[in-house]
């Protein structure tokens, strides 16, 4: 990339004319900060409104830029208050002093009032609900949207309102049914799961949020049994579907829901009517390759009565709008997820927005009394705050589960995750240093050449072999469990072996905060490859080799592989009854049965090696041992949500890899603030 900003003699940027604005925008594109798409949009707008002021076009460019960072709108006041921070600058892998024309200098003279006046006067901008409805930009208060996202946000908000107002059947004997499904425990604390289940019965929309292992799946299985009971008795069983945003998340839920339904103590006829198969949201809606449209929509709604969506934090605004549109008006929707995790890569943090009041509860006196009656327990000691039915409409249908069974007392991962989530960096550091917690550790690196990182990648620990797995572990499975070369290709032994290698690969993963720079995904992938070559686990230096793990980076509808799918390259018989072996990539079918499909490497177009992956991409997955490597300089992506999401991907062991001390603490102090108007419109919330 040409280093246009390296020159200190650049003229001071000015925005007097559209041409001058385009010079600045073009520089930002060359710098990799604005996307070419952002500038193309602005050019398009400028062509259609020749008199458009540079300030209006700049706002459009920044709004489009914000979408690339997950924000559905541009908050003008916040942008002016802190331009570089609000716009997530500098870009990944760059120091702020290397970028000379930052928005802070371009916008130094811009003031909110004139900016709003220019937007309000522009023929490109509509005023919120008042329209005109054919303008490409929409101004709502001090938030500017591209029309498409404004429309999604309105559609989601209005659909949620309607669903909340919909009367639903609540069994008369709800307290008895609840008591049977949630028997009293010896523990004196509030049974949040029972509370969540109760609330979910009384409206067509409910949201259950909670950290890992807090019982979201357990609760929803009991809820489904509760809803299905009277319907099975009346021989009108509910049509229930389960979905998750990614294949991996769907496979994980399929596994855990299957076990939960098995252990459910209810009539087998009811059990038989609780599905255990989980599909992806895309598949459920019927994605149509190459378009944004789905087979199911308002005119062809999904044939179901209850839809449960897990890992809802990964659902972006557009997908939520599509999902709600395809739901039959009377169907129940139950969203499950961890509101504290990073939001989707795409624009919108829908679950986070909908769970704004989840900690406090804000249950109205009516909800409070209803819950006490049906649950048979007082909520005085719950720590919940009382709310107002009008101001907190949605809050009446949201429950936060607060007690993790996975990370119980004494778990270092649990302690660390809590401290990070509550932004207590000193406590997080103490937990990492505490020898009492054998499941968490910090690995400090002394520069880029420190071989401790290579040992960690290969063996799972910088100190030598440890119980915590490194990448050696799946190479061991690959070599030890390989069927004899004479085994016929049709023999299930090959499938079992491939499934075992895929599962062993999930024993360890290194997660990066960024893609670029020495501590980003790209460099760490190369580093892992070299370390595994040096350890004799990878043969030769061909791009395709046995054991190479690959990530699909773009949906391939022809092959049925989705962005985010991971496969491992294995050597298998070339053809039936052939003893010649050839490389194929094994991908899990995510069918809950351990099925595997094999694809020739030459058929894969958009793939990359995936020893390391970003925390974003790791959402919906869990690994026995997770190592999180932070970069050595602060960057806008480093926030407590990112660190929390990284830590909670670990089931048994967690290692924090720190090239520079202090970055972890700074990251924990910062929060993601995804901008949106969901729940805010009209100042009344939902
Ligand atoms: N009320 C309960 N009584 C006994 N065991 C429970 C209860 N609730 C949850 N568990 C156990 O705790 C573990 C985690 O529960 P569950 O899988 O429902 O949590 P989750 O929030 O869905 O987790 P994840 O974040 O992994 O999706 C499971 O082994 C489950 O059997």
């Amino acid at each position: 990339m040409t280093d246009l900003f390296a020159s200190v003699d650049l003229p001071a940027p000015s925005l007097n004319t559209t041409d001058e604005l385009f010079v600045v925008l073009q520089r930002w594109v060359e710098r990799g900060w604005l996307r070419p798409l952002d500038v193309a949009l602005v050019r398009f707008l400028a062509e259609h409104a020749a008199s458009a002021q540079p300030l209006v076009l700049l706002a459009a460019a920044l709004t489009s830029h914000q979408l690339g960072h997950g924000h559905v709108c541009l908050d003008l006041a916040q942008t002016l208050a802190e331009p570089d921070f609000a716009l997530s600058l500098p870009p990944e892998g760059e120091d702020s002093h290397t970028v000379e024309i930052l928005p802070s200098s371009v916008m130094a003279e811009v003031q909110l009032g004139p900016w709003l006046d220019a937007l309000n006067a522009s023929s490109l901008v509509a005023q919120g609900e008042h329209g005109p409805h054919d303008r490409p930009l929409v101004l709502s208060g001090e938030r500017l949207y591209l029309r498409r996202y404004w429309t999604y946000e309105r559609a989601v908000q209005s659909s949620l309102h309607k669903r909340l107002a919909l009367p639903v059947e609540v069994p008369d004997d709800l307290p008895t049914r609840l008591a049977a499904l949630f028997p009293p425990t010896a523990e004196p604390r509030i049974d949040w799961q029972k509370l969540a289940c109760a609330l979910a019965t009384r409206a067509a929309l409910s949201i259950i949020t909670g950290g890992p292992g807090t019982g979201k799946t357990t609760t929803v299985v009991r809820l489904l049994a509760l809803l299905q009971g009277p319907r099975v008795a009346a021989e009108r069983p509910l049509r229930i579907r389960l979905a998750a945003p990614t294949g991996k998340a769907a496979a994980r839920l399929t596994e855990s829901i299957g076990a939960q339904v098995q252990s459910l103590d209810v009539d087998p006829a009811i059990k038989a009517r609780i599905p255990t198969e989980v599909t992806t949201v895309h598949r459920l809606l019927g994605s149509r390759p190459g378009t944004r449209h789905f087979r199911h929509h308002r005119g062809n709604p999904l044939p179901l009565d209850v839809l449960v969506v897990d890992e809802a934090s990964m659902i972006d605004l557009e997908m939520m709008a599509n999902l709600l549109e395809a739901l039959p008006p009377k169907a129940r929707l139950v969203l499950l997820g961890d509101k504290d995790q990073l939001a989707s890569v795409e624009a919108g943090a829908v679950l986070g927005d909908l769970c704004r009041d989840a900690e406090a509860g804000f249950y109205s006196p009516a909800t409070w009394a209803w819950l006490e009656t049906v649950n048979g327990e007082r909520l005085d000691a719950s720590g919940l705050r009382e709310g107002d039915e009008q101001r907190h409409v949605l809050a009446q249908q949201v429950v936060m589960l607060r007690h993790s069974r996975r990370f119980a007392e004494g778990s270092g991962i649990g302690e660390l995750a809590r401290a990070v989530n509550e932004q207590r960096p000193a406590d997080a550091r103490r937990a990492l240093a505490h020898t009492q917690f054998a499941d968490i550790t910090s690995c400090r690196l002394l520069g880029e050449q420190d071989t401790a990182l290579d040992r960690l990648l290969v063996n799972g620990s910088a100190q030598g072999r440890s119980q915590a797995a490194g990448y050696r572990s799946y190479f061991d499975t690959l070599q030890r469990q390989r069927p004899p070369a004479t085994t016929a290709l049709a023999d299930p032994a090959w499938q079992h072996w491939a499934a075992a290698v895929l599962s062993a690969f999930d024993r360890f993963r290194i997660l990066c905060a960024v893609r670029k720079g020495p501590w980003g995904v790209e460099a760490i992938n190369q580093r892992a490859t070299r370390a595994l070559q040096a350890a004799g686990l990878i043969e030769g230096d061909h791009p395709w080799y046995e054991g190479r793990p690959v990530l699909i980076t773009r949906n391939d509808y022809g092959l049925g592989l989705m962005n985010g799918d991971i496969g491992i390259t294995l050597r298998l018989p070339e053809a039936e009854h052939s003893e010649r072996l050839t490389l194929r990539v094994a991908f899990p079918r995510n069918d809950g049965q351990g099925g595997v499909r094999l694809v020739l490497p030459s058929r894969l177009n958009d793939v990359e090696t995936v020893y390391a992956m970003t925390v974003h991409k790791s959402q919906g997955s869990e690994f026995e041992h997770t190592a999180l490597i932070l970069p050595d300089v602060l960057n806008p992506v480093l926030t407590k949500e990112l660190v929390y999401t990284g830590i909670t991907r670990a089931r048994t062991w967690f290692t924090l890899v720190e090239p520079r001390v202090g970055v972890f603490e700074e990251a924990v102090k910062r929060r993601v603030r995804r901008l949106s108007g969901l729940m805010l419109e009209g100042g009344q919330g939902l």
Side-chain angles (χ1 to χ4, degrees):
M1 196 188 295
T2 50
D3 202 352
L4 285 173
F5 290 87
S7 157
V8 280
D9 300 325
L10 280 173
S14 98
L15 293 180
N16 296 327
T17 67
T18 310
D19 287 345
E20 283 171 349
L21 172 73
F22 277 111
V23 169
V24 172
L25 296 185
Q26 199 49 44
R27 283 189 180 145
W28 283 342
V29 169
E30 281 155 8
R31 199 71 205 186
W33 167 51
L34 275 192
R35 301 169 299 176
L37 176 80
D38 303 324
V39 180
L41 171 85
V42 180
R43 280 198 194 285
F44 176 81
L45 295 178
E47 276 163 26
H48 283 74
S51 60
Q53 283 194 36
L55 269 185
V56 172
L57 296 175
L58 173 69
L62 299 183
T63 307
S64 182
H65 159 89
Q66 288 294 73
L67 283 171
H69 286 267
H71 303 287
V72 298
C73 57
L74 176 78
D75 185 312
L76 301 170
Q78 207 171 318
T79 305
L80 289 182
E82 258 186 305
D84 302 336
F85 186 75
L87 299 168
S88 307
L89 286 173
E92 232 180 55
E94 287 195 16
D95 283 334
S96 53
H97 61 262
T98 64
V99 184
E100 289 196 3
I101 303 187
L102 282 167
S104 43
S105 59
V106 173
M107 290 195 289
E109 304 298 317
V110 180
Q111 290 186 355
L112 183 60
W115 206 8
L116 283 170
D117 290 345
L119 288 164
N120 274 316
S122 170
S123 63
L124 292 170
V125 182
Q127 274 78 40
E129 306 281 8
H130 307 300
H133 299 293
D134 56 354
R135 296 190 172 175
L137 301 170
V138 180
L139 185 65
S140 173
E142 292 171 358
R143 293 190 306 276
L144 185 68
Y145 292 77
L146 299 193
R147 173 160 297 279
R148 191 148 67 84
Y149 288 87
W150 161 262
T151 310
Y152 290 144
E153 201 174 275
R154 295 304 86 204
V156 168
Q157 176 129 334
S158 128
S159 170
L160 294 179
H161 267 300
K162 283 194 194 132
R163 222 159 273 283
L164 284 168
L166 200 72
V168 294
E169 278 175 59
V170 181
D172 296 336
D173 54 352
L174 182 60
T176 318
R177 289 179 185 272
L178 275 172
L181 286 164
F182 296 89
T185 59
E187 296 169 27
R189 61 183 147 217
I190 304 276
D191 189 342
W192 295 104
Q193 297 181 354
K194 189 176 174 190
L195 201 91
C197 185
L199 269 195
T201 60
R202 65 170 204 163
L205 170 70
S206 59
I207 301 175
I208 303 176
T209 182
T214 45
K216 299 179 289 296
T217 316
T218 309
T219 307
V220 87
V221 165
R222 294 181 195 183
L223 169 70
L224 295 177
L226 196 153
L227 295 175
Q228 197 59 291
R231 297 289 296 252
V232 166
E235 297 186 358
R236 286 189 304 127
L238 291 164
R239 295 162 304 166
I240 301 173
R241 296 293 303 271
L242 312 170
T246 64
K248 189 84 187 175
R252 228 167 51 80
L253 185 63
T254 300
E255 212 169 280
S256 68
I257 219 154
Q260 297 272 6
V261 173
Q262 278 296 318
S263 64
L264 202 57
D265 187 16
V266 298
D267 183 342
I270 299 175
K271 263 195 213 189
R273 291 289 183 172
I274 301 179
T276 52
E277 206 181 295
V278 187
T279 181
T280 61
V281 175
H282 268 97
R283 212 170 292 149
L284 179 80
L285 292 179
S287 51
R288 301 209 305 220
T291 78
R292 296 186 103 99
H293 303 289
F294 293 94
R295 220 174 44 246
H296 290 287
H297 45 75
R298 200 188 312 270
N300 178 27
L302 291 160
L304 53 78
D305 303 304
V306 180
L307 175 63
V308 175
V309 182
D310 194 18
E311 298 283 357
S313 58
M314 293 167 72
I315 298 191
D316 61 83
L317 185 67
E318 180 176 353
M319 183 51 78
M320 186 57 89
N322 286 323
L323 188 66
L324 289 169
E325 200 198 282
L327 268 190
K330 293 200 170 147
R332 285 175 187 263
L333 174 65
V334 184
L335 300 176
L336 308 178
D338 183 351
K339 69 178 177 62
D340 295 317
Q341 274 190 38
L342 278 177
S344 63
V345 181
E346 305 301 327
V350 181
L351 189 76
D353 288 346
L354 302 185
C355 291
R356 272 185 201 136
D357 294 329
E359 308 262 358
F362 288 125
Y363 298 139
S364 69
T367 303
W368 196 283
W370 184 85
L371 278 173
E372 290 194 337
T373 309
V374 299
N375 262 20
E377 77 181 336
R378 308 268 312 160
L379 292 179
D380 303 342
S382 62
L384 292 170
R385 286 172 56 194
E386 204 171 282
D388 170 331
E389 200 121 342
Q390 303 303 319
R391 281 191 53 219
H392 304 111
V393 187
L394 178 65
Q396 310 310 309
Q397 286 308 119
V398 179
V399 179
M400 177 174 151
L401 305 180
R402 297 159 198 246
H403 171 55
S404 173
R405 283 183 165 76
R406 172 126 64 91
F407 301 136
E409 322 285 278
S411 149
I413 298 175
E415 188 69 26
L416 183 64
R418 267 189 296 277
V420 167
N421 197 29
E422 291 163 15
Q423 298 191 279
R424 294 184 276 113
D427 292 340
R429 173 63 66 196
R430 252 192 300 283
L432 277 167
H434 210 305
T435 49
Q436 165 202 342
F437 296 126
D439 57 340
I440 52 175
T441 171
S442 146
C443 170
R444 292 207 177 150
L445 300 181
L446 305 170
E448 284 180 40
Q449 307 310 322
D450 192 335
T451 54
L453 178 58
D454 305 288
R455 293 194 295 278
L456 171 76
L457 289 166
V458 176
N459 299 321
S461 161
Q463 276 83 46
R465 296 289 176 103
S466 80
Q467 275 182 296
Y471 288 125
R472 180 187 291 283
S473 158
Y474 88 93
F475 278 97
D476 281 353
T477 303
L478 190 158
Q479 278 149 14
R480 289 211 194 110
Q481 298 189 22
R482 182 199 299 281
T486 50
T487 311
L489 182 60
D491 194 310
W494 291 111
Q495 289 269 325
H496 293 157
W497 172 61
V501 176
L502 280 164
S503 149
F505 182 62
D506 277 350
R507 292 191 63 206
F508 175 63
R509 193 66 39 89
I510 183 144
L511 305 180
C512 301
V514 293
R515 284 193 62 80
K516 305 281 178 200
W519 312 106
V521 165
E522 292 167 12
I524 300 297
N525 266 327
Q526 288 173 8
R527 177 104 178 227
T529 308
R530 284 196 304 272
L532 292 164
Q533 277 166 342
L537 295 165
I538 297 178
E539 284 173 16
D541 55 2
H542 303 291
W544 286 99
Y545 54 85
E546 187 170 51
R548 180 184 176 199
V550 290
L551 175 77
I552 301 288
T553 55
R554 184 190 295 204
N555 292 349
D556 185 330
Y557 293 97
L559 291 174
L561 292 171
M562 295 294 131
N563 185 351
D565 284 353
I566 288 180
I568 296 186
T569 316
L570 297 173
R571 211 176 281 287
L572 292 114
E574 196 170 67
E576 205 50 60
H577 309 300
S578 162
E579 283 187 29
R580 270 182 59 142
L581 299 179
T582 191
L583 291 178
R584 288 171 203 261
V585 186
F587 289 92
R589 285 194 187 276
N590 290 333
D591 56 0
Q593 324 279 309
V596 168
R597 49 188 304 224
L598 301 167
V599 181
L600 284 169
S602 56
R603 299 195 62 198
L604 297 172
N605 293 320
D606 297 286
V607 288
E608 59 187 42
T609 300
V610 66
Y611 292 111
M613 67 200 297
T614 58
V615 176
H616 259 298
K617 285 263 186 213
S618 74
Q619 287 187 85
S621 299
E622 279 178 5
F623 314 101
E624 193 180 290
H625 178 199
T626 303
L628 171 65
I629 184 161
L630 297 178
D632 59 356
V633 283
L634 264 177
N635 175 293
V637 304
L638 288 174
T639 58
K640 70 116 174 166
E641 285 84 358
L642 178 126
V643 178
Y644 171 81
T645 306
I647 296 168
T648 53
R649 299 311 88 212
R651 260 200 314 268
T652 317
W653 281 282
F654 174 77
T655 305
L656 179 71
V657 187
E658 299 181 276
R660 181 148 148 217
V661 178
V663 171
F664 170 73
E665 279 80 356
E666 287 306 313
V668 171
K669 285 186 207 156
R670 306 199 307 183
R671 301 195 63 145
V672 175
R673 287 191 38 225
R674 277 273 170 110
L675 304 174
S676 90
L678 202 58
M679 293 179 72
L680 296 177
E681 221 36 53
Q684 57 178 5
L686 263 178

